[in-house]
Amino acid sequence: MIALSVADAFAPLAAVSDALAWVVVAAFVLASALTWAGRRTVARYVASGTWGLFGVFWLSVFPTFWFEMRSLIEGTLSLVAVPACIYTGYLLYDGRESLLTLSHAVGAMGLIYLPAETIPLFRRFLVETVAGQTYAVITALGYSPELVPVDKDVAVQGYLSMFVFEDGAGHTYTTHIVTACTGIGSMAIFGGLIAAVRAPVRRKAKALGLAVAIIWVLNVARNVFIAVAFGNQWFQQDALVYVATEFAGYQDPNLTSFFIADRVISQSLSVVALVGITWLVVRELPELLDVIEEALFVLTGTEYDLAEALGQPVRADGGE
């Protein structure tokens, strides 16, 4: 009852989250344009206000992650992002111009991610491509689910992206690919960061190619694991069922395998994978360390010299 009342309280804000995202991205892009035009002070004030609005955006999506998707990791991160964004805006307003690069990165991330999330033609192509590759791997492993159009999710209804497993007793277990399952969010993060830093185009392209290739492969593997684990009910042990139903709020105990495979194992490993990919990309494009240092300062209030700590000096001379 409490959860429902909290979710209802957020409903008006959640209803405008997509529009709010576009406003935030447009404002960050404006700040970038002002920076490149040499109007850094105005850019700093625009970016400062936009970070506050970005905090409101994260607040608007928090109930979706927490109450609807029951994702502890994404829900917690979205809630933590609210004060982090507001603090970033304050630091920019107070004169920390180095945070403009991070602002440029967020704007670029949005330009990559939002079309995939909000433009139906782009979204369908991406979702069905990932679904087809996921299905190919599942069948190559010896499993034989059906690949059918989605019939219950408005955002992807009719897309050929749903896997239907059937057990010996005739019970069916279905999962389907949505935009979040394509890896576009992680790709947008690296794409935005790489676009924002000053470095030779060749190295930036190589770093982006490395990040996208790894994310794509790991994401397909993640989708395969979730579909097969749920389709074959791998995690239906009593203790895990108890956690899913009593603590995670799932009313159907048969969803335990999905909860453990997706919300617990896959999302936890995704965090580890992002750290590993970041390390690999930084080796190719050490200029990213400056942006990461700024993000760490916002989170901890401590100045870091990651280049020295990692023994990886930034190639400020623009070397190839």
Side-chain angles (χ1 to χ4, degrees):
M1 182 69 71
I2 294 176
L4 288 176
S5 62
V6 172
D8 290 342
F10 277 96
L13 193 57
V16 297
S17 61
D18 283 350
L20 193 57
W22 277 109
V23 171
V24 167
V25 170
F28 274 132
V29 170
L30 174 60
S32 298
L34 289 169
T35 302
W36 293 326
R39 303 183 65 183
R40 294 183 67 86
T41 300
V42 178
R44 181 162 56 83
Y45 289 138
V46 171
S48 174
T50 305
W51 276 103
L53 197 59
F54 199 27
V56 176
F57 164 76
W58 285 114
L59 188 62
S60 74
V61 298
F62 162 71
T64 299
F65 288 134
W66 192 269
F67 299 119
E68 294 182 24
M69 298 176 62
R70 296 186 177 90
S71 172
L72 177 62
I73 293 176
E74 291 175 312
T76 300
L77 289 176
S78 62
L79 198 58
V80 170
V82 176
C85 287
I86 294 173
Y87 182 53
T88 303
Y90 164 75
L91 290 173
L92 259 172
Y93 182 81
D94 199 43
R96 193 176 177 92
E97 284 197 1
S98 53
L99 283 168
L100 279 173
T101 303
L102 184 59
S103 304
H104 303 333
V106 174
M109 292 175 197
L111 289 177
I112 296 170
Y113 179 78
L114 284 181
E117 177 65 33
T118 60
I119 299 176
L121 184 63
F122 189 5
R123 182 175 62 226
R124 182 164 196 154
F125 172 76
L126 188 60
V127 167
E128 291 191 340
T129 298
V130 172
Q133 293 176 353
T134 301
Y135 183 70
V137 176
I138 291 174
T139 54
L141 292 174
Y143 300 99
S144 53
E146 289 185 84
L147 177 62
V148 301
V150 177
D151 60 2
K152 55 186 176 182
D153 188 326
V154 175
V156 293
Q157 191 164 18
Y159 292 15
L160 189 63
S161 67
M162 186 162 73
F163 312 113
V164 182
F165 286 79
E166 183 174 345
D167 63 17
H171 300 123
T172 59
Y173 304 96
T174 65
T175 55
H176 63 277
I177 303 297
V178 296
T179 309
C181 304
T182 64
I184 189 65
S186 297
M187 294 177 199
I189 290 173
F190 285 99
L193 290 171
I194 291 168
V197 300
R198 293 179 179 273
V201 174
R202 188 184 67 83
R203 282 202 287 113
K204 292 176 73 168
K206 187 175 180 180
L208 181 61
L210 176 66
V212 169
I214 295 174
I215 291 169
W216 192 277
V217 171
L218 291 181
N219 184 68
V220 169
R222 179 182 69 92
N223 291 334
V224 170
F225 169 66
I226 294 169
V228 173
F230 179 56
N232 291 276
Q233 296 285 275
W234 282 358
F235 301 110
Q236 294 304 123
Q237 291 77 25
D238 290 342
L240 298 178
V241 171
Y242 180 79
V243 170
T245 55
E246 297 298 322
F247 293 99
Y250 284 86
Q251 296 182 347
D252 184 356
N254 289 326
L255 290 173
T256 297
S257 290
F258 174 79
F259 169 69
I260 297 298
D262 184 11
R263 303 299 193 248
V264 178
I265 295 176
S266 294
Q267 290 190 7
S268 298
L269 290 178
S270 293
V271 175
V272 176
L274 284 175
V275 173
I277 295 168
T278 301
W279 182 77
L280 291 173
V281 171
V282 162
R283 287 173 62 86
E284 187 61 43
L285 195 67
E287 289 84 353
L288 283 178
L289 291 175
D290 289 341
V291 186
I292 297 172
E293 286 170 358
E294 288 301 308
L296 288 175
F297 178 81
V298 170
L299 294 174
T300 67
T302 302
E303 299 281 4
Y304 291 90
D305 187 346
L306 295 180
E308 181 178 348
L310 298 175
Q312 182 71 64
V314 175
R315 288 181 265 192
D317 60 355
E320 294 291 330

